[in-house]
């Protein structure tokens, strides 16, 4: 998933969009800034996401997911398994 790789379809997002998560202490304002951070945060070979569900209602999509990963830091810390949801407003 794009949480790990930073690869997302940028045409689907406004340039001033707000990314909150999966770490609530590190929200990011702006598409370019998010892509830059996400592309270098995780070891893509040792990290993964699982999509549990996708609920579509009116102009809102809610994705429920799980994220497991190793950060690209010198000591290679492993994150605890994070479960969460992402809400997309279209």
């Amino acid at each position: 998933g794009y949480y790990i790789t930073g690869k997302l379809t940028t045409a689907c997002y406004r340039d001033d969009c707000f990314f909150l998560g999966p770490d609530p202490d590190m929200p990011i304002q702006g598409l370019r800034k998010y892509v830059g951070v996400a592309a270098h945060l995780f070891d893509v070979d040792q990290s993964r996401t699982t999509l549990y569900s996708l609920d579509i209602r009116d102009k809102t999509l809610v994705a429920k997911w799980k994220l497991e990963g190793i950060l690209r830091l010198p000591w290679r810390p492993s994150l605890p398994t994070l479960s969460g949801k992402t809400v997309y407003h279209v």
Side-chain angles (χ1 to χ4, degrees), residues 65-81:
W65 47 264
K66 176 177 78 171
L67 170 70
E68 301 172 271
I70 305 292
L71 297 179
R72 285 186 183 176
L73 295 171
W75 60 95
R76 316 265 308 139
S78 175
L79 291 179
T81 300

PDB file of all heavy atoms in Angstrom, residues 65-81:
ATOM      1  N   TRP A  65      -7.754  -1.341   7.618  1.00  0.00           N
ATOM      2  CA  TRP A  65      -6.506  -1.967   7.239  1.00  0.00           C
ATOM      3  C   TRP A  65      -5.649  -2.337   8.444  1.00  0.00           C
ATOM      4  O   TRP A  65      -5.915  -1.940   9.568  1.00  0.00           O
ATOM      5  CB  TRP A  65      -5.705  -1.024   6.334  1.00  0.00           C
ATOM      6  CG  TRP A  65      -5.644   0.383   6.858  1.00  0.00           C
ATOM      7  CD1 TRP A  65      -6.454   1.420   6.498  1.00  0.00           C
ATOM      8  CD2 TRP A  65      -4.782   0.898   7.873  1.00  0.00           C
ATOM      9  NE1 TRP A  65      -6.136   2.550   7.217  1.00  0.00           N
ATOM     10  CE2 TRP A  65      -5.110   2.262   8.069  1.00  0.00           C
ATOM     11  CE3 TRP A  65      -3.760   0.356   8.651  1.00  0.00           C
ATOM     12  CZ2 TRP A  65      -4.446   3.072   8.984  1.00  0.00           C
ATOM     13  CZ3 TRP A  65      -3.111   1.156   9.574  1.00  0.00           C
ATOM     14  CH2 TRP A  65      -3.451   2.502   9.722  1.00  0.00           C
ATOM     15  N   LYS A  66      -4.580  -3.083   8.141  1.00  0.00           N
ATOM     16  CA  LYS A  66      -3.543  -3.431   9.115  1.00  0.00           C
ATOM     17  C   LYS A  66      -2.204  -3.090   8.469  1.00  0.00           C
ATOM     18  O   LYS A  66      -2.004  -3.293   7.272  1.00  0.00           O
ATOM     19  CB  LYS A  66      -3.603  -4.917   9.450  1.00  0.00           C
ATOM     20  CG  LYS A  66      -2.495  -5.386  10.380  1.00  0.00           C
ATOM     21  CD  LYS A  66      -2.641  -6.848  10.739  1.00  0.00           C
ATOM     22  CE  LYS A  66      -2.170  -7.717   9.601  1.00  0.00           C
ATOM     23  NZ  LYS A  66      -2.072  -9.137   9.938  1.00  0.00           N
ATOM     24  N   LEU A  67      -1.275  -2.574   9.261  1.00  0.00           N
ATOM     25  CA  LEU A  67       0.048  -2.192   8.778  1.00  0.00           C
ATOM     26  C   LEU A  67       1.105  -2.796   9.682  1.00  0.00           C
ATOM     27  O   LEU A  67       1.006  -2.701  10.911  1.00  0.00           O
ATOM     28  CB  LEU A  67       0.174  -0.658   8.782  1.00  0.00           C
ATOM     29  CG  LEU A  67       1.539  -0.043   8.536  1.00  0.00           C
ATOM     30  CD1 LEU A  67       1.963  -0.261   7.091  1.00  0.00           C
ATOM     31  CD2 LEU A  67       1.505   1.445   8.837  1.00  0.00           C
ATOM     32  N   GLU A  68       2.097  -3.451   9.076  1.00  0.00           N
ATOM     33  CA  GLU A  68       3.234  -4.001   9.803  1.00  0.00           C
ATOM     34  C   GLU A  68       4.490  -3.565   9.067  1.00  0.00           C
ATOM     35  O   GLU A  68       4.510  -3.585   7.838  1.00  0.00           O
ATOM     36  CB  GLU A  68       3.183  -5.525   9.826  1.00  0.00           C
ATOM     37  CG  GLU A  68       1.923  -6.078  10.472  1.00  0.00           C
ATOM     38  CD  GLU A  68       1.832  -7.574  10.306  1.00  0.00           C
ATOM     39  OE1 GLU A  68       1.267  -8.004   9.301  1.00  0.00           O
ATOM     40  OE2 GLU A  68       2.346  -8.278  11.195  1.00  0.00           O
ATOM     41  N   GLY A  69       5.523  -3.157   9.799  1.00  0.00           N
ATOM     42  CA  GLY A  69       6.678  -2.718   9.055  1.00  0.00           C
ATOM     43  C   GLY A  69       7.943  -2.497   9.846  1.00  0.00           C
ATOM     44  O   GLY A  69       7.946  -2.446  11.072  1.00  0.00           O
ATOM     45  N   ILE A  70       9.005  -2.353   9.067  1.00  0.00           N
ATOM     46  CA  ILE A  70      10.334  -2.037   9.563  1.00  0.00           C
ATOM     47  C   ILE A  70      10.685  -0.651   9.018  1.00  0.00           C
ATOM     48  O   ILE A  70      10.556  -0.393   7.819  1.00  0.00           O
ATOM     49  CB  ILE A  70      11.378  -3.053   9.046  1.00  0.00           C
ATOM     50  CG1 ILE A  70      10.990  -4.492   9.386  1.00  0.00           C
ATOM     51  CG2 ILE A  70      12.771  -2.702   9.557  1.00  0.00           C
ATOM     52  CD1 ILE A  70      11.034  -4.840  10.843  1.00  0.00           C
ATOM     53  N   LEU A  71      11.112   0.231   9.899  1.00  0.00           N
ATOM     54  CA  LEU A  71      11.469   1.584   9.467  1.00  0.00           C
ATOM     55  C   LEU A  71      12.894   1.627   8.922  1.00  0.00           C
ATOM     56  O   LEU A  71      13.764   0.879   9.361  1.00  0.00           O
ATOM     57  CB  LEU A  71      11.331   2.561  10.640  1.00  0.00           C
ATOM     58  CG  LEU A  71       9.928   2.735  11.200  1.00  0.00           C
ATOM     59  CD1 LEU A  71       9.950   3.709  12.364  1.00  0.00           C
ATOM     60  CD2 LEU A  71       8.961   3.195  10.139  1.00  0.00           C
ATOM     61  N   ARG A  72      13.107   2.525   7.985  1.00  0.00           N
ATOM     62  CA  ARG A  72      14.436   2.712   7.385  1.00  0.00           C
ATOM     63  C   ARG A  72      15.291   3.634   8.255  1.00  0.00           C
ATOM     64  O   ARG A  72      15.684   4.725   7.860  1.00  0.00           O
ATOM     65  CB  ARG A  72      14.305   3.346   6.009  1.00  0.00           C
ATOM     66  CG  ARG A  72      13.822   2.440   4.941  1.00  0.00           C
ATOM     67  CD  ARG A  72      13.909   3.197   3.638  1.00  0.00           C
ATOM     68  NE  ARG A  72      13.403   2.418   2.542  1.00  0.00           N
ATOM     69  CZ  ARG A  72      13.295   2.860   1.323  1.00  0.00           C
ATOM     70  NH1 ARG A  72      13.646   4.101   1.037  1.00  0.00           N
ATOM     71  NH2 ARG A  72      12.825   2.100   0.370  1.00  0.00           N
ATOM     72  N   LEU A  73      15.581   3.182   9.438  1.00  0.00           N
ATOM     73  CA  LEU A  73      16.470   3.889  10.342  1.00  0.00           C
ATOM     74  C   LEU A  73      17.668   2.981  10.612  1.00  0.00           C
ATOM     75  O   LEU A  73      17.569   1.759  10.425  1.00  0.00           O
ATOM     76  CB  LEU A  73      15.747   4.236  11.648  1.00  0.00           C
ATOM     77  CG  LEU A  73      14.589   5.232  11.506  1.00  0.00           C
ATOM     78  CD1 LEU A  73      13.810   5.330  12.802  1.00  0.00           C
ATOM     79  CD2 LEU A  73      15.095   6.598  11.067  1.00  0.00           C
ATOM     80  N   PRO A  74      18.798   3.515  11.039  1.00  0.00           N
ATOM     81  CA  PRO A  74      19.992   2.679  11.210  1.00  0.00           C
ATOM     82  C   PRO A  74      19.791   1.466  12.110  1.00  0.00           C
ATOM     83  O   PRO A  74      20.356   0.411  11.864  1.00  0.00           O
ATOM     84  CB  PRO A  74      21.017   3.651  11.815  1.00  0.00           C
ATOM     85  CG  PRO A  74      20.588   4.996  11.345  1.00  0.00           C
ATOM     86  CD  PRO A  74      19.080   4.940  11.295  1.00  0.00           C
ATOM     87  N   TRP A  75      18.950   1.564  13.140  1.00  0.00           N
ATOM     88  CA  TRP A  75      18.748   0.428  14.051  1.00  0.00           C
ATOM     89  C   TRP A  75      17.572  -0.447  13.627  1.00  0.00           C
ATOM     90  O   TRP A  75      17.255  -1.413  14.288  1.00  0.00           O
ATOM     91  CB  TRP A  75      18.589   0.905  15.487  1.00  0.00           C
ATOM     92  CG  TRP A  75      17.429   1.831  15.737  1.00  0.00           C
ATOM     93  CD1 TRP A  75      16.194   1.479  16.182  1.00  0.00           C
ATOM     94  CD2 TRP A  75      17.398   3.240  15.542  1.00  0.00           C
ATOM     95  NE1 TRP A  75      15.392   2.582  16.281  1.00  0.00           N
ATOM     96  CE2 TRP A  75      16.113   3.697  15.880  1.00  0.00           C
ATOM     97  CE3 TRP A  75      18.324   4.182  15.103  1.00  0.00           C
ATOM     98  CZ2 TRP A  75      15.727   5.025  15.801  1.00  0.00           C
ATOM     99  CZ3 TRP A  75      17.940   5.514  15.031  1.00  0.00           C
ATOM    100  CH2 TRP A  75      16.656   5.918  15.380  1.00  0.00           C
ATOM    101  N   ARG A  76      16.921  -0.130  12.481  1.00  0.00           N
ATOM    102  CA  ARG A  76      15.877  -0.946  11.849  1.00  0.00           C
ATOM    103  C   ARG A  76      14.740  -1.317  12.808  1.00  0.00           C
ATOM    104  O   ARG A  76      14.397  -2.487  12.978  1.00  0.00           O
ATOM    105  CB  ARG A  76      16.475  -2.202  11.244  1.00  0.00           C
ATOM    106  CG  ARG A  76      17.750  -1.999  10.490  1.00  0.00           C
ATOM    107  CD  ARG A  76      17.691  -1.821   9.023  1.00  0.00           C
ATOM    108  NE  ARG A  76      16.938  -2.852   8.379  1.00  0.00           N
ATOM    109  CZ  ARG A  76      16.104  -2.607   7.392  1.00  0.00           C
ATOM    110  NH1 ARG A  76      15.947  -1.399   6.958  1.00  0.00           N
ATOM    111  NH2 ARG A  76      15.433  -3.559   6.815  1.00  0.00           N
ATOM    112  N   PRO A  77      14.103  -0.342  13.448  1.00  0.00           N
ATOM    113  CA  PRO A  77      13.033  -0.672  14.397  1.00  0.00           C
ATOM    114  C   PRO A  77      11.812  -1.269  13.703  1.00  0.00           C
ATOM    115  O   PRO A  77      11.455  -0.879  12.595  1.00  0.00           O
ATOM    116  CB  PRO A  77      12.695   0.676  15.038  1.00  0.00           C
ATOM    117  CG  PRO A  77      13.095   1.687  14.019  1.00  0.00           C
ATOM    118  CD  PRO A  77      14.290   1.099  13.316  1.00  0.00           C
ATOM    119  N   SER A  78      11.207  -2.196  14.399  1.00  0.00           N
ATOM    120  CA  SER A  78       9.978  -2.835  13.928  1.00  0.00           C
ATOM    121  C   SER A  78       8.793  -2.175  14.623  1.00  0.00           C
ATOM    122  O   SER A  78       8.778  -2.058  15.842  1.00  0.00           O
ATOM    123  CB  SER A  78      10.019  -4.326  14.269  1.00  0.00           C
ATOM    124  OG  SER A  78       8.814  -4.942  13.930  1.00  0.00           O
ATOM    125  N   LEU A  79       7.826  -1.758  13.840  1.00  0.00           N
ATOM    126  CA  LEU A  79       6.618  -1.171  14.418  1.00  0.00           C
ATOM    127  C   LEU A  79       5.713  -2.258  14.967  1.00  0.00           C
ATOM    128  O   LEU A  79       5.644  -3.353  14.398  1.00  0.00           O
ATOM    129  CB  LEU A  79       5.836  -0.406  13.351  1.00  0.00           C
ATOM    130  CG  LEU A  79       6.429   0.878  12.811  1.00  0.00           C
ATOM    131  CD1 LEU A  79       5.505   1.457  11.753  1.00  0.00           C
ATOM    132  CD2 LEU A  79       6.644   1.879  13.904  1.00  0.00           C
ATOM    133  N   PRO A  80       4.981  -1.967  16.023  1.00  0.00           N
ATOM    134  CA  PRO A  80       3.934  -2.910  16.419  1.00  0.00           C
ATOM    135  C   PRO A  80       2.875  -2.912  15.323  1.00  0.00           C
ATOM    136  O   PRO A  80       2.750  -1.949  14.559  1.00  0.00           O
ATOM    137  CB  PRO A  80       3.385  -2.310  17.717  1.00  0.00           C
ATOM    138  CG  PRO A  80       3.745  -0.872  17.661  1.00  0.00           C
ATOM    139  CD  PRO A  80       5.009  -0.769  16.854  1.00  0.00           C
ATOM    140  N   THR A  81       2.122  -3.974  15.219  1.00  0.00           N
ATOM    141  CA  THR A  81       1.061  -4.032  14.215  1.00  0.00           C
ATOM    142  C   THR A  81       0.041  -2.938  14.495  1.00  0.00           C
ATOM    143  O   THR A  81      -0.464  -2.812  15.609  1.00  0.00           O
ATOM    144  CB  THR A  81       0.381  -5.415  14.230  1.00  0.00           C
ATOM    145  OG1 THR A  81       1.369  -6.404  13.929  1.00  0.00           O
ATOM    146  CG2 THR A  81      -0.728  -5.488  13.200  1.00  0.00           C
TER     147      THR A  81
END
